[in-house]
Amino acid sequence: MREHGGNLDLAGQRFGGRAEDWIDLSTGINRLPYPVGSMSARAWSALPSHAEIDTLHQAARHAYRTSAPIVALGGAQAAIQLLPQLVPLGSARILAPTYNEYAGVLSAAGWEVQEAGELDALAGADLAIVVNPNNPDGRNHAPKDLLALLPRVGRLVIDESFADAVPQLSLAPGADRPGLLVLRSFGKFYGLAGVRLGFALGNAADVARLAAASGPWPVSGAAIAIGCRALHDDAWAEATSARLARDCIRLDEMAREQGWRLVGGTALFRLYETPDALAAQEKLAHGYIWSRVFAHNPAWLRLGLPGNEAEWTRLAEALAR
């Protein structure tokens, strides 16, 4: 099992408490999720129809400001799992450090995988992967710089799982360019990771291959109903983006008071350099607040943003100990 946030089982084993006792800030999932509301019985009882899935695709095109071909999948992770089936075996280069599933999935499928520190170093790869904005450090790249790389690689995958609050970074509007594939996550920004919904956008041939590989019912009726509602709610998305921007400033100030240095982040998480990340994680864990540490960098601590005021108060109290 590769290292990820959200591992509350480990937190409970080490520090006690029930899952509901914890504030999980180890992920980049919005702690104030989209209000789901009620759903029809059909969403739970019937197999999704082609028409319903097409309606979900239209909602995603609306939210991502695109007319490109699109396929709904069980989260961005489902698209990652399908990448080895999209193109023939070859060489992959990943802009790193980043989300560790790409290297793991491709290596397991027999790909030659290399990590690179700069965009130019991806040139020449059969498959180049960039997470934009990046997880965990928030590094981002302008669309023009990514598009300049496109003719220099066989296929360019841009993971935009954290791009909802920064649409100006997105390549989704032009995702139908040959050789380009854009991945989007629904669960992070909308705070509904349990729905397991994401999208892949690209040229018609690539999207058709992914759709065929994902099977006839790639997402649930409940995911379709919730996704259609949320992806059309522009007012909620705008208000949420504004709140997250304010909350990032608030969290950064709390971290500065601890003597932690901001390394980077996105609208949904912040990455700090600390004297000892494991000690900082343990300090927070005694207040049942879980954070993310990284084996490759013992100084890095990643925190998601608290949700309601009660969570902010608990974080402040834990930091004050």
Side-chain angles (χ1 to χ4, degrees), residues 60-83:
R61 288 190 182 99
H62 169 82
Y64 304 145
R65 308 173 188 183
T66 184
S67 59
I70 189 169
V71 58
L73 299 164
Q77 182 64 43
I80 296 171
Q81 301 293 143
L82 293 176
L83 283 180

Side-chain angles (χ1 to χ4, degrees), residues 57 60-61 64 66 68-80 82-83 86 157-158 172 175-176 180-186 197-204 206-211 214:
H57 289 164
R61 288 190 182 99
Y64 304 145
T66 184
I70 189 169
V71 58
L73 299 164
Q77 182 64 43
I80 296 171
L82 293 176
L83 283 180
L86 182 62
V157 175
I158 305 297
D176 55 353
L180 178 63
L181 187 70
V182 175
L183 308 184
R184 299 292 296 238
S185 168
F186 173 82
L197 178 61
F199 301 91
L201 303 89
N203 65 73
D206 283 352
V207 169
R209 289 190 190 96
L210 290 173
S214 67

Side-chain angles (χ1 to χ4, degrees), residues 27-206:
T27 76
I29 299 168
N30 185 355
R31 295 284 300 174
L32 292 177
Y34 184 81
V36 171
S38 61
M39 282 184 289
S40 69
R42 175 179 169 77
W44 298 106
S45 62
L47 286 172
S49 69
H50 292 300
E52 288 166 335
I53 294 174
D54 286 344
T55 299
L56 175 62
H57 289 164
Q58 289 300 326
R61 288 190 182 99
H62 169 82
Y64 304 145
R65 308 173 188 183
T66 184
S67 59
I70 189 169
V71 58
L73 299 164
Q77 182 64 43
I80 296 171
Q81 301 293 143
L82 293 176
L83 283 180
Q85 301 181 44
L86 182 62
V87 288
L89 197 66
S91 65
R93 295 180 190 166
I94 303 169
L95 193 64
T98 195
Y99 185 55
N100 59 26
E101 286 292 328
Y102 284 101
V105 167
L106 291 168
S107 295
W111 282 69
E112 175 193 340
V113 178
Q114 295 179 324
E115 294 187 342
E118 299 297 334
L119 275 182
D120 284 345
L122 300 177
D126 297 310
L127 181 64
I129 296 168
V130 180
V131 179
N132 191 49
N134 189 43
N135 174 16
D137 59 12
R139 177 168 54 160
N140 60 70
H141 303 275
K144 64 179 179 60
D145 295 329
L146 296 172
L147 292 176
L149 178 65
L150 183 57
R152 304 164 66 195
V153 299
R155 228 177 223 84
L156 178 61
V157 175
I158 305 297
D159 184 329
E160 296 183 351
S161 291
F162 292 98
D164 293 77
V166 282
Q168 68 274 16
L169 291 180
S170 179
L171 288 181
D176 55 353
R177 290 178 173 87
L180 178 63
L181 187 70
V182 175
L183 308 184
R184 299 292 296 238
S185 168
F186 173 82
K188 295 178 178 64
F189 179 73
Y190 290 93
L192 298 170
V195 170
R196 305 311 306 137
L197 178 61
F199 301 91
L201 303 89
N203 65 73
D206 283 352

Side-chain angles (χ1 to χ4, degrees), residues 4-15 21-27 31 278 280-293 301-304 314-315:
H4 294 292
N7 51 345
L8 279 182
D9 288 344
L10 175 61
Q13 290 167 11
R14 289 178 56 190
F15 300 100
D21 296 328
W22 286 84
I23 300 173
D24 188 3
L25 302 186
S26 70
T27 76
R31 295 284 300 174
L278 282 174
Q281 183 184 55
E282 182 170 349
K283 175 181 179 177
L284 292 170
H286 286 302
Y288 288 159
I289 297 172
W290 196 228
S291 55
R292 174 83 188 273
V293 295
L301 181 81
R302 198 187 75 178
L303 284 176
R314 276 182 58 185
L315 177 60

Side-chain angles (χ1 to χ4, degrees), residues 241-261:
S241 295
R243 173 185 59 83
L244 291 171
R246 295 191 300 270
D247 286 352
C248 284
I249 296 170
R250 184 177 183 180
L251 186 58
D252 289 347
E253 179 57 34
M254 294 172 73
R256 275 193 296 271
E257 292 173 357
Q258 295 294 309
W260 302 345
R261 183 183 69 85

